[in-house]
Amino acid sequence: MFKLWISIKKDVRILLRDKVGISLMFVMPIILVVVVTSIQNSTFQLVNKNKLPIVICNTDTGKASTQFIESVGKIGLFTVTQIPKEKAKTITDEMHGKDALLGIVIPSNFSSEVDKKAKSASDKAMVAFSGQADSIKTIAKSTKTNEIDPLTLYYNPVLQESLRFSIQGAIGSCLQLVQTRETLRTLYYASNEKELPKSLEDEMLNSNTTINMLPVSKDGTRTTPNASQHNVPSWTIFAMFFVIMSLGGSVVREKVSGSFIRLKTLPTNYLVGLLSKQITYLAVTLLQAAVIFSMGMLLFPYLGLPALNLPSDLFALFLVTLVCGWCAVSYSICVGVFSETQEQSNGFGAVSIVILACVGGLMVPSFAMQGLAKTMANFSPMHWVLQAYYTLFLEGGKLKDVLNNIGSLFIITVVIQFITYLGLKRKNLI
Amino acid sequence: MAADQPFAIAIEHMGFRYPDNAAVSFADLNLKVEKGIRFGLFGPNGAGKTTLMNLMTGVLSVNEGSIKLLGKETGKQNKEVNTLFGFVPQDFSFYQELSPAENLEFFGAWAGLTQTEITNRTDELLHILGLEDVRNKPVEKFSGGMKRRVNLAIGVIHNPQVLFLDEPTVGVDVQTRQAIINYLLKLNESGTTLIYTSHQLNEAEDLCEQIAMIDEGKIITQGHIDDVLKAHNHDSLENLFINLTGKAYRN
């Protein structure tokens, strides 16, 4: 125990004097978490709070196009800017000028075609109500080609596909509303020879069923996830694995320096040295997590970012973080043992961490992965930590909900330790 | 048991070859170093001095034969043997980020000393080797001579019975060299066997009692320094060295 304690003291001293290593392990991840969360927060707000700027060029002069523009404005998703109809051909320039992500050109025959379609549908309905089946077929044949010219929607390529489809759906709903309103009005007029009362129109068009959106949680709480809840845990994992830049290099440095020759002549097994490094750097990873989580809770609100809320099961959070840290440290030592030079360790370490992060779902959600990528995710320790963190941070899960993740992570870590042991034996280091 | 052994090192029919076969190897090497003497091991570059040191200290393992240190077989991580000797490698074999006191604390613990023993030996060694004033300063800021003294201090922290020194004075000024040599002589007076390699043959004449010269993995001469010089009709080790190993460059 004395040898281990002295070894830990030595490792801590060396670590504290390695200013570059400390900045790589603490400052860089903090900057990364702040920057990524800020960017993701903007996206969250874009989707959830901010409105998308949209430019509409109305080349039509009828009522239906005006109603359509009003409907688009009422959705609450867009900030509508109208431009003169002469600018229809240069709408993309207008989009750039007004920093709009979307643009719509309403064709000049939009209202007249909506009217025609409404009239046609109304006629069919009237015939149907009177029970003249043959007449319905005749009308259907005569109105088959009665289609409205397409409405052109321009979009900035930066918009993600999923958001684009949401926008398309929203615009489609507006079009449907305009068409249905006009059909109702025509139908009512045809049967009653007077205008459809506004109150009745509203009652018929407005859905009385509201959609109650609730995040799914295991503990029954209804906290809406925010960018901090998503990003801080995931990039904390990344930061913990980045310990490889200091630890991997430290193992290689010791291995190739003269001090290792001396260590081999002393009556102490090098495994004591490796155990000391594991304990020291495990403490570092736990400290990293504590610093980043604290920053998310206390500092983020001052930076205009949503505060991080810790999960209710703090013991589970500690356990997941502990096993994650142990895995990160084990992986770093493994890379250090197999690397011949510090350059190899740093280069391979950094690239492999980014790959593990990609595969593990830190950059692309693993639920969006398909086939081989989804299978490979299971081999990335980051995947299991991320799932556990999401269960705790986003779903209000407890220890029993993350035991499976902890178990998988533990198995991966033991395998890495075993590979390290084989490497040490093969290289005659123990 | 170790105290009864007449030989500090006994190498018998030792064979060694690096796995890649490119480096020097030994075949059927025999060498005995009496306990309590100052023994010098010399040879040109690439002759196998450092390899032999590494074999004697258990850093490398022999393929054939045996190497015994105070009667105990050396080998990889032989704890019992490793407490008996100290090693001062040619490279600065310590943590440059740490101070002399911190290095001595770490290596002392790994050598099996208690905290009290480490504290006492640290004070004693830093005093003897003139490092008291810089005991808490990082070694990386030291001169080459000071680093050599730290290297030596670590090698003797646990009072070894046999001390291996691989070019312990390379790159130091005259004062430091004298200080190191004087300290080594004192150590030997107190019973420590010194096994030393160097290219400084004048220094070796002052320090060593017995020598062996090796070249291409073979011992080409060995014995008491005066006897060896007499047998080969030379008045200095340098002349003998040139005579036995030639003037051609060695890599």
Side-chain angles (χ1 to χ4, degrees):
Chain A
M1 275 309 273
F2 175 64
K3 288 176 181 177
L4 180 62
W5 167 239
I6 294 291
S7 302
I8 291 171
K9 269 172 79 176
K10 181 264 292 179
D11 283 326
V12 170
R13 281 167 175 157
I14 290 175
L15 185 66
L16 290 177
R17 286 163 203 179
D18 180 11
K19 302 284 184 289
V20 177
I22 289 177
S23 66
L24 274 173
M25 285 187 294
F26 286 95
V27 181
M28 295 303 282
I30 287 170
I31 293 171
L32 183 73
V33 170
V34 172
V35 170
V36 175
T37 308
S38 300
I39 293 167
Q40 288 276 34
N41 191 48
S42 305
T43 312
F44 254 77
Q45 290 196 335
L46 184 72
V47 178
N48 297 324
K49 291 183 181 173
N50 291 351
K51 293 182 177 181
L52 286 169
I54 186 168
V55 171
I56 299 180
C57 180
N58 187 5
T59 63
D60 179 43
T61 50
K63 282 190 299 181
S65 57
T66 311
Q67 286 168 6
F68 168 71
I69 294 168
E70 279 173 14
S71 300
V72 171
K74 281 179 185 171
I75 295 173
L77 191 61
F78 309 106
T79 306
V80 179
T81 306
Q82 284 200 63
I83 58 168
K85 61 181 176 183
E86 297 78 35
K87 293 189 174 176
K89 286 184 180 170
T90 56
I91 190 165
T92 51
D93 296 336
E94 291 296 319
M95 282 169 64
H96 288 306
K98 294 183 177 1
D99 288 332
L101 296 172
L102 297 156
I104 293 176
V105 176
I106 302 173
S108 57
N109 62 347
F110 179 77
S111 295
S112 62
E113 291 299 324
V114 167
D115 286 346
K116 275 185 202 169
K117 197 166 182 186
K119 180 81 173 54
S120 161
S122 167
D123 288 348
K124 283 181 201 169
M126 290 300 289
V127 172
F129 293 157
S130 64
Q132 296 169 6
D134 291 343
S135 302
I136 295 171
K137 284 177 189 168
T138 312
I139 294 167
K141 277 179 188 170
S142 69
T143 56
K144 250 183 186 169
T145 53
N146 195 12
E147 295 295 329
I148 301 171
D149 283 357
L151 185 141
T152 311
L153 172 67
Y154 296 89
Y155 65 89
N156 191 312
V158 298
L159 284 178
Q160 288 182 345
E161 199 172 5
S162 56
L163 182 59
R164 227 165 54 227
F165 284 134
S166 303
I167 291 164
Q168 193 180 347
I171 304 269
S173 297
C174 293
L175 286 171
Q176 187 65 46
L177 185 69
V178 170
Q179 185 64 62
T180 308
R181 179 184 285 126
E182 207 50 46
T183 305
L184 273 176
R185 284 176 180 174
T186 309
L187 186 61
Y188 189 86
Y189 191 83
S191 61
N192 300 307
E193 292 191 343
K194 58 180 179 181
E195 297 284 324
L196 175 67
K198 184 79 174 71
S199 57
L200 181 60
E201 182 184 297
D202 288 344
E203 198 176 329
M204 292 174 84
L205 289 175
N206 293 343
S207 167
N208 290 323
T209 309
T210 54
I211 300 170
N212 197 12
M213 297 272 281
L214 290 175
V216 179
S217 63
K218 292 186 189 293
D219 63 353
T221 55
R222 294 282 181 250
T223 311
T224 307
N226 55 44
S228 300
Q229 297 296 104
H230 268 277
N231 284 291
V232 174
S234 59
W235 293 105
T236 301
I237 301 168
F238 194 70
M240 284 198 278
F241 271 84
F242 236 76
V243 79
I244 196 168
M245 298 304 286
S246 178
L247 178 53
S250 164
V251 173
V252 176
R253 237 182 1 255
E254 195 161 76
K255 218 172 57 176
V256 299
S257 76
S259 55
F260 192 72
I261 293 284
R262 202 197 289 268
L263 293 179
K264 284 177 83 171
T265 65
L266 293 171
T268 302
N269 197 305
Y270 186 59
L271 286 176
V272 175
L274 288 183
L275 184 61
S276 152
K277 285 189 195 302
Q278 292 204 30
I279 293 170
T280 306
Y281 281 86
L282 180 58
V284 168
T285 58
L286 291 176
L287 193 61
Q288 279 180 312
V291 168
I292 298 172
F293 288 158
S294 305
M295 207 184 60
M297 291 163 65
L298 307 172
L299 185 67
F300 272 21
Y302 293 103
L303 300 174
L305 297 170
L308 175 77
N309 297 309
L310 286 185
S312 55
D313 194 341
L314 288 176
F315 177 70
L317 176 65
F318 173 74
L319 205 59
V320 171
T321 310
L322 184 76
V323 183
C324 174
W326 187 40
C327 186
V329 167
S330 304
Y331 182 69
S332 305
I333 289 176
C334 187
V335 170
V337 164
F338 282 94
S339 300
E340 300 294 333
T341 63
Q342 214 168 326
E343 287 75 18
Q344 274 181 20
S345 168
N346 290 348
F348 178 81
V351 173
S352 65
I353 292 302
V354 173
I355 292 171
L356 285 175
C358 287
V359 174
L362 264 73
M363 295 176 185
V364 178
S366 48
F367 64 77
M369 293 177 183
Q370 297 292 323
L372 182 66
K374 208 173 179 67
T375 309
M376 280 172 63
N378 295 326
F379 293 99
S380 169
M382 293 192 200
H383 165 74
W384 298 105
V385 190
L386 188 65
Q387 296 307 311
Y389 273 166
Y390 278 174
T391 303
L392 296 172
F393 276 93
L394 300 176
E395 298 173 28
K398 303 282 182 198
L399 180 61
K400 64 179 171 51
D401 302 312
V402 295
L403 279 177
N404 181 38
N405 304 88
I406 293 173
S408 303
L409 191 60
F410 188 82
I411 290 167
I412 291 174
T413 308
V414 170
V415 170
I416 292 171
Q417 291 267 342
F418 183 66
I419 293 169
T420 307
Y421 177 78
L422 293 180
L424 287 166
K425 277 273 184 204
R426 195 172 144 243
K427 288 176 178 262
N428 216 13
L429 299 176
I430 54 170
Chain B
M1 172 88 177
D4 303 333
Q5 288 298 320
F7 298 111
I9 281 284
I11 300 175
E12 289 178 346
H13 307 294
M14 192 269 284
F16 174 78
R17 185 171 288 275
Y18 283 102
D20 58 6
N21 285 336
V24 69
S25 58
F26 297 102
D28 197 28
L29 189 92
N30 293 285
L31 177 69
K32 286 195 166 80
V33 178
E34 288 167 33
K35 214 170 81 173
I37 67 159
R38 303 185 300 274
F39 184 84
L41 190 62
F42 307 104
N45 289 329
K49 299 186 299 294
T50 300
T51 302
L52 190 54
M53 276 276 187
N54 287 337
L55 286 162
M56 288 190 285
T57 54
V59 173
L60 295 172
S61 300
V62 299
N63 299 134
E64 293 155 24
S66 68
I67 299 180
K68 286 183 179 166
L69 192 144
L70 296 169
K72 297 176 195 303
E73 197 134 353
T74 62
K76 194 174 61 175
Q77 289 293 320
N78 185 337
K79 282 187 184 182
E80 201 184 352
V81 174
N82 287 3
T83 53
L84 300 175
F85 72 88
F87 185 31
V88 182
Q90 185 181 341
D91 295 327
F92 294 129
S93 305
F94 46 75
Y95 298 95
Q96 304 251 0
E97 306 92 328
L98 302 181
S99 68
E102 289 165 348
N103 267 298
L104 287 168
E105 181 185 51
F106 172 71
F107 286 104
W110 273 52
L113 302 187
T114 64
Q115 184 65 67
T116 313
E117 288 169 334
I118 290 169
T119 308
N120 293 341
R121 279 295 283 164
T122 299
D123 292 345
E124 185 187 344
L125 286 168
L126 293 181
H127 173 70
I128 293 169
L129 293 167
L131 295 166
E132 273 174 318
D133 295 343
V134 292
R135 61 179 294 145
N136 295 318
K137 294 191 174 159
V139 180
E140 61 196 352
K141 292 178 180 163
F142 287 9
S143 68
M146 290 161 83
K147 286 181 182 176
R148 283 276 158 225
R149 282 180 273 159
V150 174
N151 212 25
L152 177 60
I154 294 167
V156 297
I157 178 87
H158 57 302
N159 275 317
Q161 295 183 45
V162 180
L163 181 62
F164 294 93
L165 301 130
D166 193 357
E167 305 200 38
T169 58
V170 68
V172 301
D173 59 22
V174 178
Q175 287 84 353
T176 304
R177 190 170 66 84
Q178 277 299 324
I180 289 174
I181 295 296
N182 288 339
Y183 177 66
L184 292 177
L185 289 169
K186 274 186 190 166
L187 268 182
N188 180 246
E189 278 171 23
S190 64
T192 306
T193 308
L194 303 182
I195 299 176
Y196 157 97
T197 74
S198 178
H199 290 291
Q200 313 286 325
L201 295 177
N202 294 336
E203 175 185 295
E205 282 179 36
D206 294 339
L207 182 67
C208 300
E209 296 167 90
Q210 292 187 24
I211 62 159
M213 283 195 187
I214 62 169
D215 197 9
E216 296 175 346
K218 293 184 177 69
I219 293 174
I220 48 178
T221 187
Q222 73 177 97
H224 195 279
I225 196 161
D226 294 333
D227 295 342
V228 169
L229 288 173
K230 199 186 248 179
H232 291 85
N233 245 343
H234 281 286
D235 56 357
S236 72
L237 273 180
E238 195 160 315
N239 288 338
L240 175 64
F241 188 87
I242 292 288
N243 180 251
L244 292 177
T245 60
K247 289 184 178 177
Y249 285 119
R250 297 299 183 92
N251 296 320

